[in-house]
Amino acid sequence: MWQTIIIQPFTNVLLFINSLVQNFGLSIIIFTILIRLLTHPLMVQQFKATKSMQSLQEDPRYKKMQEKYKNDKDKLAQEQSKLYKELGINPLGSCLPTIIQLPIILGLYQSVTKAMAASPLELFNLEQIVYPKFVNTAQLLPLNNQFLWMDLGQPERLTVFGLSIPFLAILVVLTTFLQSKLIQPPSSENDQAAMVNQSMSMTMPLLMGFMAYSLASGLALYFLVSNTVGIIQYAILGRANWSNILPFLKKKEAPSTSKPKPVIIEDVEVTDPEPEPVKQGSSSKYSRTKSMTPKKKRPPRKGK
Amino acid sequence: MKKSNLLLIMIFVGLTLLMSACVPGPRVVDAPGLALDETDVFIAYSSFVYSLDGSNGAVNWVYPDKASTQIVFYAPPLVTEDAVYIGDLAREFHKLDKATGAEIWSFSDAEGFYLGQAAIYDGMIFAPNNDGVLYAINAEGALAWKFETGHYLWAQPQIADDTIYIGSMDNFVYALSLDGEEIWSTELAGAVTGAPLLSEDGSLLFAGSLDGKMVALDTATGDFVWTYDADQSVWGTSIIADGKLIFADSVGNIYAVTTENGEALWQTMVSGEVVGGVSSMDDGFVVATKEGQLQTFDFDGGTKWQASVNGEFYQAPVANSDFLVAGMINGDELVIGFNLTGVQLWSTTPEK
């Protein structure tokens, strides 16, 4: 099923591209770009949904209900659901595109692996999944796995002054790090999400780097191209936070960031038949935020 | 620069240097390589080369002593009177003592891994490699010369009358002199995975290719003498018996044609995909399928006996005058032995 729906068509497209360009390294690059472009609308949708969720988390009503129902998960879920409806947010909106993209990325990975057949057994199994009317196997197989200094079917090493440097793996680490840094929101360095992001931006590059180091270099090439295209996509969509990697682009923050000012919450509309009193210090009108982002006083609502 | 950033960079550089010193294991999967002599079976699979007693499957010796992720064997061993020659995926080619499995020498000049069976002629070993190079190695294990082709070399070279014939995955068949000079090369329409075969008088060379053709080339010039169109790609080895060339295509068709002009004599089939090709027996031939069917025929295409196993055959079985052995993957055992009437003698997955 997985083979028929995903791997077989992907492999055939990859081989078809190779029949046009006659270079497997280039075929991987073109195919990866093609897949990234095809999944671009999903990425845009994911960005929008993520943005909405981020805005929601900054919403005082959301924070208020988090605090208020911290010991009543069911009630919290109920209230959150109401708020989602009110604001028109789909809570799965940010992860659904990712879930849809996952089989595509996995299929791409597996089809690249399959196409780089380097033994009779692997090549025979590749021949069996080729659409005969789409790809001329006799002319095309086996593929030429040489690309630049790499054998795309084997882990990559670039020998410099007698040292075998895993050059591609290093580039994969750098681009993965760059990508994860660029998509981190700049405004939440102290909150829990930021800590998770921080941790991910360190572990993911190492994980990807290890994979690029130990797997066939065709896959490392795919990781590299995918990361690079991803960075370009973020930049085009205006979602790349360049200040995360180029600190001089960061605007000077107001001194108030270190000492957050109280934020007036006047528009809490949490519905509760029996609202409980919220302990917020001396005045119920004020609340402290843990965010580093300078908060502005909300303008009073009309009619107040 | 922050101390933490500096530390991160130093860790990164350190890891890079550390990893540059390590070589990960090869990323290739293949079926076990098999060879026989009069009494023993030699199997190359995964981390080891095994010598088994052909009558009962008992292990005689194992090479090397310890498994390594770097050293993987799939190439069929070349067995001579006193030695076993085998290449691995770590780019090493070994000469082993046939009686004990002890290494006599190893050759490590290749840039790719060994999947094809080597050949020996006049004391010189000819080892095909996945870097597309045929390595000529002298009796002491030193490089005599090398000949470069355009793609993988999986097929065993054929040698006769001081001429070496090799089929390459670059679609060419090459004829070389014993000192490595090209005599001629002929391009086929597809890659050559199986060993080319010489006619009984040595005037013709037969080669099957992935474009589904069996061709006969003039061994003196490399010119096409005849071409036979099979239904599908021709992967494995062929045989000559009673003046007939017998070969199989990948969907299980078996063809017999005359060696002189490629005229069809008979055609039969097995149910399944044939990768390894056709192997000779004393009074017939055997074909093994990916689906686990083992079928023997007489030279007129009549079925003699067949057996079915839980496993996949990707290599042609091998037979001597007493027994027949086939290696499989994804099955109950790695290797299975039959007598020549089809009675299973043993099956085993040898362990270190």
Side-chain angles (χ1 to χ4, degrees):
Chain A
M1 178 86 168
W2 172 256
Q3 169 104 342
T4 312
I5 294 173
I6 302 283
I7 298 177
Q8 199 166 359
F10 274 37
T11 309
N12 277 276
V13 172
L14 187 57
L15 294 177
F16 179 72
I17 294 169
N18 192 69
S19 71
L20 300 178
V21 299
Q22 297 293 320
N23 182 311
F24 192 48
L26 269 183
S27 305
I28 292 174
I29 293 170
I30 293 169
F31 191 44
T32 311
I33 294 171
L34 202 67
I35 292 290
R36 294 294 301 222
L37 288 178
L38 284 174
T39 54
H40 186 76
L42 291 172
M43 197 175 172
V44 173
Q45 197 186 330
Q46 186 186 358
F47 273 133
K48 282 181 183 166
T50 308
K51 187 78 182 165
S52 304
M53 285 302 285
Q54 278 172 357
S55 308
L56 176 75
Q57 280 164 15
E58 295 298 320
D59 193 301
R61 287 174 293 177
Y62 184 80
K63 287 180 178 175
K64 171 98 176 170
M65 69 173 66
Q66 290 279 336
E67 179 63 27
K68 189 172 179 181
Y69 302 116
K70 63 183 176 191
N71 295 323
D72 186 353
K73 299 287 178 198
D74 291 341
K75 186 69 187 168
L76 179 64
Q78 208 178 352
E79 291 304 321
Q80 278 177 342
S81 174
K82 278 181 190 168
L83 192 59
Y84 289 147
K85 267 187 190 165
E86 187 188 323
L87 298 175
I89 293 172
N90 178 4
L92 295 176
S94 60
C95 59
L96 205 59
T98 311
I99 291 168
I100 296 169
Q101 284 180 71
L102 268 178
I104 296 171
I105 292 165
L106 196 63
L108 178 60
Y109 171 91
Q110 289 183 331
S111 59
V112 168
T113 312
K114 224 168 188 51
M116 288 183 300
S119 73
L121 184 150
E122 291 173 352
L123 189 65
F124 184 80
N125 287 333
L126 173 63
E127 192 194 51
Q128 302 311 300
I129 63 164
V130 169
Y131 303 139
K133 288 179 182 169
F134 193 58
V135 178
N136 185 336
T137 48
Q139 282 179 4
L140 198 61
L141 300 181
L143 301 177
N144 187 353
N145 282 354
Q146 287 299 317
F147 180 62
L148 302 175
W149 67 91
M150 297 168 252
D151 176 349
L152 295 168
Q154 296 303 308
E156 176 265 354
R157 299 293 176 270
L158 179 63
T159 306
V160 183
F161 302 119
L163 266 180
S164 294
I165 306 289
F167 185 66
L168 217 52
I170 293 170
L171 287 181
V172 168
V173 170
L174 291 176
T175 51
T176 313
F177 179 75
L178 206 62
Q179 186 173 234
S180 58
K181 275 293 197 191
L182 287 177
I183 58 172
Q184 268 180 29
S187 56
S188 52
E189 287 174 15
N190 279 349
D191 63 24
Q192 203 174 0
M195 283 167 73
V196 172
N197 280 340
Q198 199 78 357
S199 155
M200 287 289 281
S201 70
M202 291 310 297
T203 50
M204 275 305 285
L206 290 177
L207 181 69
M208 296 298 287
F210 179 73
M211 285 170 74
Y213 168 80
S214 52
L215 298 179
S217 53
L219 295 170
L221 183 66
Y222 153 67
F223 293 149
L224 178 64
V225 176
S226 188
N227 285 348
T228 310
V229 176
I231 290 167
I232 295 168
Q233 282 177 307
Y234 293 132
I236 290 171
L237 290 169
R239 306 290 184 192
N241 296 313
W242 295 102
S243 59
N244 284 346
I245 50 164
L246 303 169
F248 57 85
L249 291 178
K250 212 177 257 182
K251 285 177 186 172
K252 282 194 176 178
E253 289 175 296
S256 59
T257 52
S258 54
K259 292 178 182 176
K261 284 184 177 177
V263 177
I264 301 168
I265 299 177
E266 293 180 317
D267 53 355
V268 177
E269 294 175 354
V270 178
T271 53
D272 189 353
E274 291 175 12
E276 295 169 20
V278 179
K279 292 176 184 176
Q280 289 185 349
S282 57
S283 168
S284 63
K285 272 194 165 186
Y286 296 96
S287 166
R288 281 188 179 271
T289 174
K290 286 181 179 176
S291 170
M292 291 284 283
T293 316
K295 300 283 183 185
K296 290 177 183 173
K297 274 189 179 179
R298 293 182 72 98
R301 279 184 151 193
K302 280 181 183 175
K304 282 214 168 185
Chain B
M1 186 179 284
K2 280 183 187 175
K3 269 187 182 174
S4 57
N5 287 349
L6 193 66
L7 186 69
L8 274 178
I9 290 169
M10 283 171 68
I11 290 172
F12 186 68
V13 171
L15 276 175
T16 303
L17 287 174
L18 188 71
M19 288 178 120
S20 69
C22 308
V23 181
R27 304 281 159 198
V28 179
V29 177
D30 208 358
L34 280 179
L36 286 182
D37 67 1
E38 295 77 26
T39 55
D40 294 327
V41 183
F42 301 87
I43 306 160
Y45 187 67
S46 193
S47 299
F48 297 106
V49 181
Y50 305 91
S51 166
L52 308 183
D53 185 327
S55 62
N56 57 22
V59 175
N60 297 325
W61 53 255
V62 181
Y63 172 85
D65 288 337
K66 285 181 185 172
S68 158
T69 53
Q70 312 298 326
I71 302 172
V72 176
F73 299 93
Y74 291 122
L78 166 68
V79 181
T80 63
E81 202 173 314
D82 57 356
V84 174
Y85 297 90
I86 177 97
D88 65 27
L89 299 197
R91 306 172 185 184
E92 296 260 342
F93 188 86
H94 314 264
K95 179 182 180 181
L96 310 178
D97 184 297
K98 195 168 92 170
T100 64
E103 182 173 291
I104 297 166
W105 51 251
S106 74
F107 166 82
S108 51
D109 287 7
E111 291 176 14
F113 41 78
Y114 294 93
L115 286 172
Q117 188 174 25
I120 189 163
Y121 186 81
D122 214 9
M124 187 81 85
I125 299 108
F126 302 96
N129 191 281
N130 247 36
D131 60 8
V133 174
L134 180 71
Y135 292 91
I137 306 164
N138 68 22
E140 285 73 45
L143 178 69
W145 51 261
K146 56 185 183 180
F147 179 82
E148 192 169 350
T149 73
H151 216 302
Y152 304 144
L153 289 180
W154 290 345
Q156 184 186 34
Q158 300 299 299
I159 309 161
D161 297 332
D162 294 348
T163 306
I164 306 157
Y165 303 95
I166 47 170
S168 170
M169 297 300 284
D170 68 359
N171 297 8
F172 278 85
V173 175
Y174 299 85
L176 312 176
S177 66
L178 284 182
D179 54 5
E181 295 299 318
E182 182 178 317
I183 299 168
W184 54 257
S185 61
T186 298
E187 185 174 15
L188 310 188
V192 183
T193 57
L197 184 66
L198 281 159
S199 62
E200 283 153 337
D201 65 359
S203 64
L204 294 174
L205 183 75
F206 308 105
S209 64
L210 295 195
D211 68 326
K213 287 185 171 60
M214 173 59 73
V215 299
L217 305 176
D218 186 323
T219 51
T221 61
D223 292 339
F224 288 95
V225 177
W226 54 256
T227 299
Y228 185 91
D229 286 319
D231 283 354
Q232 286 295 326
S233 49
V234 179
W235 277 77
T237 49
S238 319
I239 61 162
I240 292 173
D242 297 343
K244 300 165 197 161
L245 173 70
I246 301 172
F247 64 97
D249 70 14
S250 61
V251 291
N253 293 307
I254 301 166
Y255 308 87
V257 298
T258 59
T259 51
E260 312 86 64
N261 52 20
E263 197 177 300
L265 293 171
W266 52 259
Q267 184 177 334
T268 184
M269 72 178 304
V270 288
S271 56
E273 296 165 325
V274 178
V275 192
V278 176
S279 284
S280 227
M281 294 165 66
D282 272 354
D283 53 355
F285 64 92
V286 58
V287 177
T289 69
K290 187 187 161 191
E291 289 73 17
Q293 282 286 331
L294 201 70
Q295 200 159 336
T296 60
F297 298 86
D298 60 35
F299 292 128
D300 293 320
T303 301
K304 292 176 69 180
W305 56 265
Q306 53 189 333
S308 183
V309 301
N310 177 27
E312 299 172 2
F313 296 117
Y314 281 90
Q315 299 275 9
V318 285
N320 61 16
S321 53
D322 294 320
F323 51 87
L324 180 150
V325 177
M328 65 187 116
I329 58 165
N330 301 329
D332 295 334
E333 302 283 10
L334 184 68
V335 59
I336 187 164
F338 295 88
N339 71 15
L340 297 186
T341 58
V343 177
Q344 185 182 322
L345 299 175
W346 49 266
S347 67
T348 182
T349 303
E351 286 179 12
K352 172 73 180 127

